[in-house]
Amino acid sequence: MTSYDILGENSACITVTGAPSLAAANFTRNSTAWKTMSDEEREEKELDLTSPEVVTKYKNAAEIVNKALQLVVKECKPKAKIVDICEKGDAFIREQTGNMYKNAKKKIERGVAFPTCLSVNNTVCHFSPLASDTSELQEGDMVKIDMGCHIDGFIAVVAHTHVVQEGPVTSRKADVVAAANTAAEVALRLVRPGKNNKDVTDAIQKVAAAYDCKIVEGVLSHQLKQFVIDGNKVILSVSNPDTRVDDAEFEENEVYAVDIVASTGEGKPKLLDEKQTTIYKRAVDKNYHLKMKTSRFIFSEINQKFPILPFTARALEEKRARLGLVECVNHDLLQPYPVLHEKPGDYVAHIKFTVLLMPNGSDRITSHPLQELQPTKTIDDPEIKAWLALGTKTKKKGGGKKKKGKKGEGEKADAEPMDASTNDAPAS
């Protein structure tokens, strides 16, 4: 939800039909060359990572969201109000993106691609409260931070888990963070051209089991496209008869948001209170004539300010939004991102990163260093160790030197094999 989707009767839909073409219409309508292209050619052009300009925009967005994450982690202290931290994360992204492309000949859309969320302990995802909320962080809280940034619709998302404490993280808290992080490291090595989405699904479940944890059901890792945070190619977190996705093979020049959520509980989250939902996205393929004046006002504001990407209800007038959003959601004009929960006492960890499938290998562009972990479990399975030993870069023929990637916040140009029994996973 987002940037992943939790499936089920209370869930958001998996994909949004027609989003790429709408993005093109909204943001590049003045381009004569664009108008003469077919839909397929437009989509290929906007996603082509062989264009240095496109790669630069992805990496600029990643640099900003990595720094925003660093800021938010520092703000996670006992007695800090969650809504204040969320606002600081979003404000930083708006400020930093606002300073870019000021003198561009064509207006470049940029800003928040997914609102900052802080989901604590057994809360799985999407907690980004309204201004009136008084929730505070406490010592020992396990906080999932989820956020996204875009430059010209090229999106970089990231999620990180931080425990509000000094010193190393121990016991089951350490286990679940290690499970999510090690699963993310394995996924990074398997999301590569020629591999299949099912390969990743099976592998991350095996990693979580090694830490006596569960991968949370219904989480989808999406392909990213220009102005599309939930592309049609997806990786399912847990395969079961009720949730199926099409088999898909990864291809060069694609971009993915790899989303890993692990739990010490059953991994079957529930929606407890619809009123906690504050993040929505315009369902661009849906239309309905709203009856309430308040709903029409709110929906008009959403269409003007947030025509495609997810937004927080904090950006709207609170009292009016509470009334107007209900009718919009009831008639499928908005896709809600529900706040989901595991059982009290369970711990949930979340790691998400953006990866570019470049010709020279996989380039992970978003991440943040973990706290020191002292898990109770170690990785002994030879298959998992073999996955972790895989490199993420493609060696050039003829023994040429590897091309060094641009150094970013918390990233390395080349991944190294990691010792899965420790917390020192490379933030590759």
Side-chain angles (χ1 to χ4, degrees), residues 50-303:
T50 60
S51 164
E53 183 181 6
V54 170
V55 175
T56 296
K57 288 175 180 177
Y58 273 118
K59 291 194 173 184
N60 284 342
E63 183 177 2
I64 290 170
V65 82
N66 283 333
K67 288 180 179 178
L69 174 57
Q70 186 177 18
L71 170 70
V72 168
V73 169
K74 289 180 180 177
E75 294 291 329
C76 288
K77 301 172 183 176
K79 304 299 181 183
K81 282 182 66 175
I82 291 177
V83 66
D84 291 346
I85 301 175
C86 291
E87 283 286 9
K88 287 179 181 179
D90 290 348
F92 181 87
I93 291 174
R94 288 193 296 267
E95 177 188 359
Q96 294 296 309
T97 55
N99 291 332
M100 303 186 71
Y101 297 97
K102 284 183 176 180
N103 301 319
K105 293 180 180 179
K106 177 175 73 75
K107 183 182 178 183
I108 301 292
E109 299 289 335
R110 57 211 189 273
V112 175
F114 196 81
T116 304
C117 302
L118 267 68
S119 305
V120 179
N121 297 331
N122 64 308
T123 303
V124 176
C125 56
H126 304 149
F127 190 74
S128 189
L130 298 175
S132 58
D133 190 275
T134 58
S135 301
E136 295 180 347
L137 294 179
Q138 303 297 329
E139 180 75 23
D141 278 348
M142 175 172 280
V143 185
K144 278 78 65 186
I145 304 162
D146 189 3
M147 58 203 316
C149 172
H150 81 96
I151 303 289
D152 197 20
F154 296 103
I155 299 164
V157 291
V158 68
H160 175 75
T161 301
H162 177 78
V163 179
V164 183
Q165 67 175 58
E166 297 292 333
V169 179
T170 61
S171 66
R172 293 297 282 157
K173 289 181 181 179
D175 287 345
V176 74
V177 177
N181 184 66
T182 307
E185 290 292 335
V186 167
L188 174 63
R189 287 151 175 79
L190 296 181
V191 178
R192 60 171 66 195
K195 288 287 188 180
N196 190 280
N197 55 355
K198 188 176 183 299
D199 299 333
V200 182
T201 301
D202 295 340
I204 62 175
Q205 290 180 79
K206 186 169 187 176
V207 171
Y211 288 97
D212 195 21
C213 294
K214 295 282 183 67
I215 294 294
V216 172
E217 292 186 4
V219 178
L220 297 178
S221 296
H222 283 278
Q223 183 182 4
L224 299 174
K225 300 180 180 182
Q226 188 180 21
F227 291 109
V228 181
I229 202 165
D230 51 2
N232 291 342
K233 274 191 176 182
V234 299
I235 305 164
L236 188 61
S237 60
V238 179
S239 54
N240 61 53
D242 298 325
T243 52
R244 294 190 184 95
V245 298
D246 292 337
D247 287 345
E249 185 176 297
F250 306 117
E251 299 177 40
E252 192 173 290
N253 294 323
E254 291 180 336
V255 183
Y256 286 88
V258 178
D259 212 336
I260 309 293
V261 186
S263 172
T264 60
E266 295 179 355
K268 298 180 179 181
K270 304 286 190 246
L271 173 64
L272 301 182
D273 184 0
E274 289 185 2
K275 292 180 181 178
Q276 286 188 319
T277 301
T278 60
I279 297 176
Y280 303 87
K281 181 166 73 70
R282 172 77 170 93
V284 297
D285 58 336
K286 301 291 184 180
N287 290 289
Y288 175 78
H289 183 69
L290 295 163
K291 302 297 189 291
M292 292 172 54
K293 183 178 179 181
T294 302
S295 303
R296 293 196 297 271
F297 180 88
I298 287 294
F299 192 60
S300 175
E301 186 177 1
I302 291 168
N303 279 330

